[in-house]
Amino acid sequence: MAVSSCPRVSAAFECRSEPDFCGGPHRPEAFASGGRFSGKASSVPSHQIFGASALSSLIFRFPPNFVRQLSTKARRNCSNIGVAQVVAASWSADSAAAAAASASAAAAASVEASVEVSVVESSGSDVQYEDLADEKASFLGFDGTLTIHAGERLGRGIVTDAITTPVVNTSAYFFKKTAELIDFKEKRRASFEYGRYGNPTTVVLEEKISALEGAESTVIMASGMCASTVMLLALVPPGGHMVTTTDCYRRTRIFIETFLPKLGVEVTVIDPADTEALKSALDKNNVTLFFTESPTNPFLRCVDIELVSELCHRKGALVCIDSTFATPLNQKTLSLGADLVLHSATKYIAGHNDVIAGCISGSEKLVSTIRNLHHVLGGVLNPNAAYLIIRGMKTLHLRVQQQNSTALRMAKILEAHPKVKCVYYPGLPSHPEHHIAKRQMTGFGGVVSFEVDGDLTTTIKFVDALKIPYIAPSFGGCESIVDQPAIMSYWDLNQSERAKYGIQDNLVRFSFGVEDFEDLKADILQALESI
């Protein structure tokens, strides 16, 4: 039996008449003063108002604090008019009225000055509870202490039948006794201990991503860059050697080229399709890790994951693929042979341009190594953000299907347009790695990069003429986004420096959202016609 103690309150509650299903007389005159009951004297005696027949014809509208003062179980059973009658009657100044109401209630309950409501749990209850202490919190003597500990310190209900995943906002987890803490330290008891080491909400997200990737384990972090940097620091030792590719996210390149050398790490940079260069680097150096994107940013180059994994594993090197552009739906990176797969979950996985996160999936052994360093460095994902990603992932397959379709259709239209010089999209036969993408991907993604036939100013005019997409960084969300990499990501470099990375002034990266295809098509065509 769950017991909840409800202190006496003076707040008024509203009630309204309903048809009297028990045949009792209506008494609308009792509520002439706005339909509120305040416990004060009225023209109708309280015992008449709260008679058994009258109570059966009333539905009470309780004040906001009422639901907070009932136990979770009582709240679930507040449809039981007997409980409502007992509590309502206790607010009457007339103790006789309270007794009358109590007698008329179907549920067995006793009404005292403090109003204790006893609720019998049904055998079919689908809400589970931790053991609640039977004794009252006698040590909580003052309001200041009650506001902190009441309802929590002696245990609380754990809702297991909610459809959505609860958000657990806590920075630490307590142990009831020191023995429990010792059991945790000696790995006989599971707990998160501290928020930087994990959270029930983020664990749900990690397990969901692991299931999609076919991974033993996943670690979620505060951003894609956080995931990349922690992974590199955890797996490439000081004085080690790694291989990466020419085309990649610029911030990742900056970290690899400027920070890792401070640790004595040497880096070999190769073309994404140059397997001979990879073989040479593996033969000449003690390579620890091969890390690249597939497809890459912004030219959507594709790496033969199966082949590079085979080459690297022969030499004892690990393979990590950033599969953000592909998504777990378009490409099963781990099944192709990679040891780890990384995502900026900000993009397609979250999918709504409203949260920043990153994740790494792979074997329990490798992910644990990365997780341990993550626990030291921080970069923890807030549980509210984890909830947003969980919610976003429920439509991931629908969004990606739409984005795949729109991008492929528009890529074909753009390639045939006279005002477009070149289109970069792995779904086109003209793409240099189309044969690879076709073999290892089930869809080609929602991003299309292309070069407008014109200079920097002409390309700006095209971008500004677009009406649907936002001019912004990022990609993969429900809203279409367009950017000119020469300005958005490389504006701090001069034209010749940008050209070293293949970034021309007329390059456009278009991330298709889930808007209707015909609207997007019409918008892009009218923008091209404006230049």
Side-chain angles (χ1 to χ4, degrees), residues 122-333:
S122 65
S123 58
S125 172
D126 52 4
V127 175
Q128 298 177 3
Y129 288 84
E130 292 181 349
D131 294 334
L132 302 180
D134 291 331
E135 71 274 11
K136 296 180 179 179
S138 58
F139 59 92
L140 306 180
F142 295 89
D143 288 348
T145 309
L146 285 168
T147 58
I148 296 172
H149 292 295
E152 296 180 297
R153 189 66 178 89
L154 298 179
R156 70 204 68 167
I158 304 299
V159 180
T160 60
D161 57 353
I163 291 178
T164 57
T165 297
V167 179
V168 181
N169 281 316
T170 187
S171 59
Y173 303 82
F174 69 88
F175 300 87
K176 293 179 181 177
K177 299 292 182 182
T178 302
E180 289 186 356
L181 173 59
I182 294 173
D183 285 342
F184 166 72
K185 292 296 183 181
E186 296 184 356
K187 304 190 183 305
R188 293 189 297 270
R189 175 185 174 86
S191 177
F192 294 99
E193 182 185 13
Y194 186 55
R196 194 171 73 247
Y197 307 147
N199 177 282
T201 308
T202 59
V203 165
V204 171
L205 174 57
E206 289 174 344
E207 291 178 351
K208 191 180 291 289
I209 295 172
S210 290
L212 278 177
E213 291 288 7
E216 292 180 357
S217 182
T218 294
V219 57
I220 190 83
M221 301 186 197
S223 71
M225 273 306 302
C226 181
S228 297
T229 55
V230 173
M231 182 275 298
L232 290 169
L233 291 173
L235 299 183
V236 183
H241 196 107
M242 67 167 292
V243 179
T244 190
T245 56
T246 51
D247 191 33
C248 68
Y249 178 53
R250 189 186 176 199
R251 300 300 175 185
T252 305
R253 181 190 293 113
I254 289 173
F255 181 80
I256 291 173
E257 293 180 347
T258 64
F259 187 84
L260 288 184
K262 296 178 181 179
L263 302 178
V265 175
E266 294 182 353
V267 181
T268 297
V269 182
I270 64 173
D271 184 88
D274 194 346
T275 54
E276 292 302 317
L278 176 60
K279 291 178 183 178
S280 177
L282 291 168
D283 290 338
K284 295 178 180 178
N285 307 284
N286 183 21
V287 176
T288 302
L289 175 72
F290 173 63
F291 175 54
T292 188
E293 302 163 7
S294 187
T296 60
N297 183 14
F299 294 108
L300 305 168
R301 301 288 302 278
C302 295
V303 173
D304 189 332
I305 299 172
E306 190 171 8
L307 177 58
V308 299
S309 297
E310 181 183 348
L311 294 174
C312 290
H313 292 162
R314 288 178 189 172
K315 297 291 184 176
L318 298 172
V319 175
C320 178
I321 303 294
D322 182 334
S323 192
T324 301
F325 274 84
T327 78
L329 299 182
N330 286 332
Q331 182 171 274
K332 299 298 183 184
T333 305

Side-chain angles (χ1 to χ4, degrees), residues 243-448:
V243 179
T244 190
T245 56
T246 51
D247 191 33
C248 68
Y249 178 53
R250 189 186 176 199
R251 300 300 175 185
T252 305
R253 181 190 293 113
I254 289 173
F255 181 80
I256 291 173
E257 293 180 347
T258 64
F259 187 84
L260 288 184
K262 296 178 181 179
L263 302 178
V265 175
E266 294 182 353
V267 181
T268 297
V269 182
I270 64 173
D271 184 88
D274 194 346
T275 54
E276 292 302 317
L278 176 60
K279 291 178 183 178
S280 177
L282 291 168
D283 290 338
K284 295 178 180 178
N285 307 284
N286 183 21
V287 176
T288 302
L289 175 72
F290 173 63
F291 175 54
T292 188
E293 302 163 7
S294 187
T296 60
N297 183 14
F299 294 108
L300 305 168
R301 301 288 302 278
C302 295
V303 173
D304 189 332
I305 299 172
E306 190 171 8
L307 177 58
V308 299
S309 297
E310 181 183 348
L311 294 174
C312 290
H313 292 162
R314 288 178 189 172
K315 297 291 184 176
L318 298 172
V319 175
C320 178
I321 303 294
D322 182 334
S323 192
T324 301
F325 274 84
T327 78
L329 299 182
N330 286 332
Q331 182 171 274
K332 299 298 183 184
T333 305
L334 298 178
S335 67
L336 291 168
D339 300 288
L340 295 165
V341 57
L342 184 148
H343 290 276
S344 172
T346 309
K347 312 304 192 295
Y348 289 101
I349 290 179
H352 289 76
N353 291 318
D354 59 0
V355 65
I356 295 177
C359 61
I360 304 171
S361 304
S363 68
E364 182 68 41
K365 180 180 179 181
L366 285 176
V367 173
S368 293
T369 300
I370 299 167
R371 193 190 302 273
N372 289 337
L373 182 59
H374 169 55
H375 289 170
V376 175
L377 297 178
V380 180
L381 184 70
N382 185 282
N384 294 280
Y387 171 80
L388 287 175
I389 300 172
I390 292 169
R391 184 177 66 172
M393 288 184 69
K394 295 179 188 294
T395 59
L396 176 62
H397 62 298
L398 301 174
R399 292 185 282 105
V400 169
Q401 182 179 17
Q402 173 75 2
Q403 290 162 319
N404 284 345
S405 174
T406 299
L408 179 58
R409 293 169 71 184
M410 278 308 309
K412 293 177 179 178
I413 292 172
L414 288 168
E415 190 173 43
H417 200 282
K419 293 186 179 181
V420 175
K421 292 181 64 177
C422 182
V423 178
Y424 305 95
Y425 187 69
L428 296 176
S430 59
H431 190 277
E433 285 86 46
H434 173 67
H435 62 290
I436 296 175
K438 192 174 180 180
R439 184 175 68 247
Q440 68 186 23
M441 300 178 73
T442 56
F444 305 110
V447 176
V448 178

Side-chain angles (χ1 to χ4, degrees), residues 47 60-62 73 91 166 184 190 247 278 316 319 402 434 442 451 455 457 466 481 526:
H47 69 274
F60 298 100
R61 185 177 300 158
F62 301 102
K73 191 61 185 178
W91 290 340
F184 166 72
D247 191 33
L278 176 60
V319 175
Q402 173 75 2
H434 173 67
T442 56
E451 294 177 2
D455 57 10
T457 303
L466 292 164
I481 285 177
Q526 67 82 23

Side-chain angles (χ1 to χ4, degrees), residues 65-112:
N65 62 349
F66 173 76
V67 293
R68 293 194 295 271
Q69 292 165 345
L70 286 180
S71 69
T72 303
K73 191 61 185 178
R75 204 180 318 147
R76 288 173 56 83
N77 288 272
C78 67
S79 60
N80 183 337
I81 192 63
V83 175
Q85 291 168 350
V86 170
V87 177
S90 72
W91 290 340
S92 170
D94 189 345
S95 60
S102 177
S104 67
S110 62
V111 181
E112 300 176 357

